[in-house]
Amino acid sequence: MANAKKQLEISDEVAIQITKMNKWFGSFHVLRDIDLTVQRGERIVVAGPSGSGKSTLIRCINALEEHQEGLITVDGTILSSDLKNIDTIRSEVGMCFQHFNLFPHLTILENCMLAPIWVRKVPQKEALETAMHFLEKVKIPEQANKYPGQLSGGQQQRVAIARSLCMKPRIMLFDEPTSALDPEMIKEVLDTMVTLAEDGMTMIVVTHEMGFAREVANRVIFMDEGQIIEQNEPEAFFDNPQNDRTKLFLSQILGH
Amino acid sequence: MVDQSFVRTEIVPEKPAPLSQAGIIGWFRKNMFSDIPNTILTGVVLYIIFMVLGNILPWVFSPTWNSVSLTECRSILAEIGRDGHGNGGACWGVIRERWLQLMFGFYPSELYWRPVLSFLLLGVALAPVLFDGVSRKILFFTAVYPFVCFWLIWGGSVWFPISVFIGFIISYFGFVIGNKSAGSLIGVLAAIALPIIWWFILLSPINSVLNSILPLGSEAIESDRLGGFMLAILIGVTGIALSLPIGILLALGRQSDLPILKGVCVCFIEFIRGVPLITLLFVASTLLNVFLPPGSNFDLILRVMIMVTLFASAYMAEVIRGGLAALPKGQYEAADSLGLDYWKAQRLIILPQALKISIPGIVSTFIGLFKDTTLVSIIGLLDPLGLSTNIRADMAWNGILWELYGFVALIFFIFCFSMSRYSMYLERKLATGH
């Protein structure tokens, strides 16, 4: 993990542009004036206390949540209520969830082949090859014909990552990918994510794994009460936090 | 102080389970005779089973198969020294004499091969739907089967079912062409409007032309000659086959974000569930004619089929809604995040799981529907129960009760029990979790 980020280059191309974005759940103001620009190749970790809106933020990026004000542009496509735009963005942006959300009625292989075949209209044979390629990449090709219920949590999350990768996304979103895992399985998932970062994938990761943030991220964003409170390079963020809330948060999660 | 350190040096080998855990004797010991109260209970229950069977079995095994009337039954029973007037034995002559009628109603006996053939073909049509190993190509026959069955049972001109079937083909091409040229909304409208124009305006003139050119057909059978289990199966299978897709659409409609669609579905479901089936059947038999254009003769059995289907669909919709609600929200989100559109997500991800969860409820609804077909006897259709009343009105069999209803119950039980077993097989087959 240690040398991961040093070799990585970040391009000038903008992958995601969020300006003045606001979101409400009913009358509750969850996200307030979010401004965020993500370059291609960036690895961003979003941290913050629970209820701070970090999951909601990344769920807005692939329109799992609808935003009410402001502009989100993903890969040059403006996110509006136009269903065509939403489907375009969703097929370019992969997402991994806290609870994996694999399809339990399909085998691992079918899970990985489904979207390429039905959304990208890839021929069966090619989809199979892609699926096996990415299953090998997450190091579980031998489980291809099992069902998700037969796999451990860590294996399921790695399959979920492979499933997203089969769509050849240009951006990956991770919504607390290790929070539902037993401690001994967290490492295998983080290792997979590091490999992904080394391949130059643009990643936004909501996580409490501060070790991962320090080693892999090129930028850490701290959120509280629906706002971006502080963002910085990991060294500066962890060693020299500026805002009081950031200091409090870091002392709480690093203190024990 | 005790030394608490311990290091295992060898692994304990596996040993066979003790006899009390395995084998038949172990099972009996554990479940029947585990202690004194259980042993006493086992004895009491065995005694009750013995008493019940001891009374029923002699009644069932009664040498009256060849009798031609209830009086003859009684004299046969009296001759062999059994009670001729009460519970001495069953009078099976009625089943021998009337079982064809219980099967086919008043269908002309020289044409029995037609319903029998359509029943056999029903098996062929269902096979690819019910079982994995069967060739998918037979599904084409499944699609055509309803029209073949209609023609076999009702007879008449061959052109009528063919031209009704063509309406569905028109609907399909209307959708494909409309969808390609002008978007999905126009496609759906074309798929609905074109076949309606075809069925209600063009169909009868075209039919009469075709009939005058090439009068192909078989002897037509009037609906009032249909009856017995043939009628029950006709109504039941139609209801089962149509209520599942309609119920799925209603359940999805009820979950929809579109307020008008949702409102229509909720109203339909709540209205149909709030009204007894018998009321709907009376509407079908009497009131519906008031609403139809004068002179239109809408077959009573067809009207009943529509009502039974609508009734079952409303229940089906609620059963499936239960399955949809049981799915974690993450499944919808995962499908969305992969870029699947609504219909693909429903078809590939949501419905396969929701329907699997709903199997017990769906099959219960099917079984209920099949048994409810006996209610049509109230509006004068001759289903097995209606026929039983007729048979009991015959002088020769006046007074017979258990034999007829027992036979009808047995046949219904065979059908319903098969459905129940099939659903358990399906649940086992689809189980993927651990």
Side-chain angles (χ1 to χ4, degrees), chain A residues 59 62 64 87 90 93 95 97 101-105 114-115 118-119 121 147 149-150 163 167, chain B residues 329-341 344 347-349 352-353 356 432-434:
Chain A
R59 288 159 61 88
N62 68 349
L64 284 184
D87 283 339
R90 280 176 178 164
V93 180
M95 180 148 191
F97 300 88
N101 297 351
L102 293 177
F103 305 130
H105 61 301
L114 183 118
W118 289 95
V119 180
K121 314 278 181 213
Y147 285 95
Q150 296 165 296
R163 179 177 72 176
M167 285 293 281
Chain B
K329 201 163 156 259
Q331 292 292 312
Y332 293 86
E333 289 177 351
D336 281 347
S337 74
L338 287 170
L340 294 165
D341 63 31
K344 280 180 195 151
R347 195 174 101 217
L348 301 166
I349 310 297
Q353 297 184 63
K356 185 182 124 190
T432 57
H434 273 254

Side-chain angles (χ1 to χ4, degrees), chain B residues 243-262:
Chain B
S243 66
L244 185 62
I246 298 177
I248 290 173
L249 292 178
L250 283 171
L252 292 179
R254 195 170 184 167
Q255 294 220 321
S256 164
D257 296 329
L258 309 169
I260 296 178
L261 180 64
K262 183 177 177 170

